[in-house]
Amino acid sequence: MQDAKQETTLNRSLGFWSALSLVVGTVIGSGIFFKQSSVLDSAGSTGMALLAWLLGGLITLTAGLTIAEVGAQMPHTGGLYVYMEQIYGKLWGFLSGWMQIAVYGPAIIASIAAYLGILLVGFFNLNGSWQAPLAIIVIVLIGILNMFENRWGAAFQIATTLGKLLPIGAIIIFGLFFGNQDAFGQSLHTVTQSTGSFGVAVLATLFAYDGWILVANLGGEIKNPQKLLPQAIILGISLVLIAYTLVSYGILHFIPAATIHKLGQQTTVYFANAAFGTIGGRLLNIGIIVSMVGCLNGKIMTFPRIVYAMAERNQLPFSKQLSYLNKKSHEPIIATLVILAYASIMILFFNPDRLSDLCIFTVYCFYVATFIGVFLLRKRRQGHARPFSTPGFPVTPLVAILGALFVIVSEIGSDLPGVLLSLVIVAVGIPVYYWKQRQNA
């Protein structure tokens, strides 16, 4: 459990709408706009692609319902890091936090920023060499915003979340009412040999659904978190599931499967221009850019909290500097700068698709342990009242566990070198943990 110093230092000022916008805003970013082709290619047909989007959303919803029970009992800054520590002990808590700051957090920020760079280069008709610089400039500007009081970052998150309604609504409405393709019956096998598998397709959707748990990193800054945290997670995931399924149907109903396969990451840009013309397409692309900026804002707002939570306990090298809070804004400025620097390096040297897959595998390893933790907590705390109980227990957490294992096995089968690399990075945290333990003894 977080100590009194941390809970009183960070401002507990975020309400329900801020928490909900963080869930929706950190999920709806680049994935739904850039993963349509990869999901379709792996699924092999439009019907299976839609099923992959739906199944990915249901797996995510069961995960959210399960985590909501844990989070309501541990409403502290740090999220997954705190949950793992309370359930399995300090080493596993540390490795959970280490995974998020050494792999997951910077990689997912870099991945979304890289996708945004692709979109910005096309939008402004720039040379491709501008992709990485633009991505870095955007995350630096968002990072500066989040060095002010958290209410500014939260307000920006609400505004950009509302801005997502433009591209989401436009794609759904136009695709549903003006498309003439068979959104369920087209097969890529008549055009080309599909690569991947249905499992890989679901894995791709889970990147698009990922990010919902990041609101838990601000548990110590949310008003009445025992009540509001579960509400924000469950409602947020449900809204995203509905939106993603309808967006995917709209795109598949408007664009032939063979064309989506050829367009790749440019599918949504093509949709915008074909559906609304040059001017309308550019306006829709602006909406997509706003959506991705809002997603980045939510992630840049939350990941430094994990660095701060660990450094505040002197668990990291340079903990004194990393736990520094600006005296006026009460924001972890040094932690934010470190995350941004690490993400910038990844933008320069890694492919965004590669980064996104790496993110999903590492975080789901710790997700499955936390899902199992629901059973352990119920056994340990028999007779104690719970602020929130997972509906459909034990079926719901069992589905979440099976879904997480499905992701892990699929990723091992499709990218063993990437899996081994991510495990090595996490394992490096073990000697760091024991080194800091000796220092603190």
Side-chain angles (χ1 to χ4, degrees):
M1 184 176 292
Q2 302 295 85
D3 57 34
K5 177 183 175 183
Q6 180 171 314
E7 292 295 339
T8 56
T9 303
L10 292 168
N11 292 329
R12 195 180 285 276
S13 58
L14 304 179
F16 171 75
W17 292 109
S18 295
L20 179 63
S21 69
L22 276 166
V23 175
V24 175
T26 52
V27 173
I28 300 178
S30 61
I32 187 60
F33 303 118
F34 283 90
K35 287 288 185 179
Q36 293 294 331
S37 177
S38 61
V39 172
L40 178 59
D41 286 349
S42 295
S45 70
T46 53
M48 293 303 289
L50 283 171
L51 182 61
W53 283 104
L54 180 60
L55 183 58
L58 291 175
I59 291 173
T60 305
L61 183 58
T62 60
L65 289 167
T66 305
I67 290 292
E69 179 173 323
V70 179
Q73 297 176 72
M74 307 174 193
H76 309 293
T77 298
L80 192 63
Y81 159 64
V82 175
Y83 307 158
M84 288 291 295
E85 180 181 271
Q86 291 294 299
I87 297 170
Y88 297 105
K90 289 186 176 181
L91 173 60
W92 289 105
F94 174 86
L95 289 178
S96 171
W98 177 265
M99 172 273 300
Q100 292 183 79
I101 64 177
V103 184
Y104 177 62
I108 203 165
I109 290 172
S111 176
I112 295 168
Y115 284 129
L116 180 58
I118 293 171
L119 194 58
L120 290 173
V121 164
F123 186 82
F124 292 108
N125 295 315
L126 298 173
N127 186 281
S129 61
W130 277 96
Q131 179 184 325
L134 283 173
I136 294 172
I137 289 170
V138 169
I139 64 172
V140 168
L141 291 175
I142 296 172
I144 292 172
L145 173 66
N146 280 280
M147 291 179 190
F148 296 98
E149 292 182 22
N150 61 13
R151 60 190 177 93
W152 292 106
F156 184 68
Q157 190 64 39
I158 292 173
T160 53
T161 299
L162 291 174
K164 295 174 191 290
L165 298 178
L166 172 63
I168 294 291
I171 291 172
I172 291 172
I173 293 171
F174 199 93
L176 288 177
F177 294 103
F178 296 95
N180 57 9
Q181 303 297 318
D182 183 356
F184 293 102
Q186 299 179 70
S187 173
L188 278 183
H189 293 289
T190 61
V191 180
T192 183
Q193 181 63 40
S194 177
T195 58
S197 65
F198 182 71
V200 176
V202 175
L203 191 68
T205 70
L206 288 170
F207 167 75
Y209 280 108
D210 194 48
W212 54 271
I213 199 174
L214 297 184
V215 69
N217 293 341
L218 284 83
E221 300 171 68
I222 296 173
K223 303 171 185 176
N224 192 12
Q226 290 90 345
K227 179 182 178 181
L228 297 187
L229 192 60
Q231 289 179 352
I233 289 175
I234 295 166
L235 180 58
I237 293 174
S238 299
L239 291 173
V240 172
L241 190 161
I242 294 169
Y244 275 16
T245 304
L246 290 175
V247 164
S248 299
Y249 179 85
I251 290 175
L252 293 171
H253 191 49
F254 186 78
I255 306 175
T259 304
I260 294 174
H261 169 75
K262 292 177 182 177
L263 289 169
Q265 294 178 350
Q266 298 299 318
T267 296
T268 306
V269 176
Y270 172 87
F271 179 102
N273 292 326
F276 303 104
T278 303
I279 297 176
R282 289 183 73 82
L283 289 174
L284 186 61
N285 283 328
I286 290 173
I288 296 173
I289 291 170
V290 169
S291 173
M292 295 172 70
V293 168
C295 183
L296 280 170
N297 178 70
K299 297 182 190 305
I300 292 171
M301 186 178 182
T302 54
F303 279 119
R305 266 64 180 180
I306 305 171
V307 178
Y308 169 78
M310 297 178 73
E312 203 270 341
R313 297 181 177 192
N314 196 27
Q315 290 187 320
L316 296 173
F318 307 105
S319 286
K320 182 178 179 181
Q321 291 78 17
L322 292 173
S323 62
Y324 170 78
L325 294 179
N326 181 273
K327 293 181 180 178
K328 184 176 181 181
S329 66
H330 297 270
E331 293 298 303
I333 291 177
I334 304 300
T336 300
L337 290 174
V338 169
I339 290 291
L340 293 179
Y342 194 6
S344 297
I345 293 171
M346 288 188 168
I347 289 171
L348 292 172
F349 296 104
F350 291 92
N351 176 279
D353 280 327
R354 183 84 163 133
L355 289 172
S356 65
D357 291 341
L358 199 65
C359 296
I360 292 299
F361 175 79
T362 51
V363 76
Y364 264 82
C365 289
F366 288 89
Y367 279 173
V368 71
T370 310
F371 301 154
I372 294 170
V374 170
F375 295 93
L376 300 177
L377 287 174
R378 288 206 176 195
K379 184 177 181 180
R380 292 175 192 171
R381 302 183 179 184
Q382 288 181 355
H384 291 78
R386 290 184 296 273
F388 175 84
S389 296
T390 299
F393 184 91
V395 175
T396 300
L398 286 175
V399 172
I401 291 168
L402 291 174
L405 290 174
F406 170 74
V407 172
I408 292 169
V409 172
S410 296
E411 184 63 14
I412 291 172
S414 63
D415 185 18
L416 184 59
V419 165
L420 294 175
L421 174 62
S422 61
L423 291 176
V424 168
I425 295 173
V426 173
V428 169
I430 297 175
V432 174
Y433 170 79
Y434 285 109
W435 169 53
K436 294 302 294 184
Q437 283 289 101
R438 286 196 299 271
Q439 279 193 341
N440 298 333

